[in-house]
Amino acid sequence: MKADLKQNAQRRISRIAGQISGIERMLNNERPCNEILQQVTAVRSALDQLGVVLLTEHLQTCVLHKDVEADHDCCVSVPESAQSDQIRQALTRFFTLNS
């Protein structure tokens, strides 16, 4: 994983962890359900955005090998004949988990 992507993902995860802690505090303080649900929606959105960033990176570097400078920048090389299947599998996995 590229350093800038890793830093971006870590920043997003820290923010999400803070949001989760906030939801826990809201529950403990018996805040109204609609306020808690609003924060749950925000966390789901933040997770979806993180997933899109990671999915995009995976498809570009691991499957299509775009902008890959060294072997450690990508996953296992995917032959061109298998790229479509890999893309389909990655998209199916991501969207199935999000539905």
Side-chain angles (χ1 to χ4, degrees), residues 26-88:
M26 291 175 81
L27 287 168
N28 291 336
N29 294 331
E30 298 184 13
R31 297 291 295 267
C33 293
N34 63 331
E35 291 179 17
I36 297 169
L37 286 171
Q38 183 176 3
Q39 291 306 308
V40 168
T41 301
V43 169
R44 289 175 63 184
S45 176
L47 283 171
D48 285 344
Q49 291 171 12
L50 173 62
V52 168
V53 167
L54 295 173
L55 177 63
T56 301
E57 180 69 10
H58 170 69
L59 293 176
Q60 288 178 340
T61 60
C62 299
V63 178
L64 301 176
H65 288 273
K66 301 286 184 190
D67 301 323
V68 175
E69 297 173 9
D71 288 340
H72 68 275
D73 283 344
C74 62
C75 307
V76 177
S77 179
V78 176
E80 193 172 328
S81 60
Q83 288 177 351
S84 291
D85 286 338
Q86 286 290 315
I87 292 169
R88 189 177 308 105

Side-chain angles (χ1 to χ4, degrees), residues 12 14-26 39 42-44 46-47:
R12 289 173 184 268
S14 292
R15 192 174 311 119
I16 291 166
Q19 289 174 304
I20 296 292
S21 294
I23 291 171
E24 185 175 33
R25 284 190 303 276
M26 291 175 81
Q39 291 306 308
V43 169
R44 289 175 63 184
L47 283 171

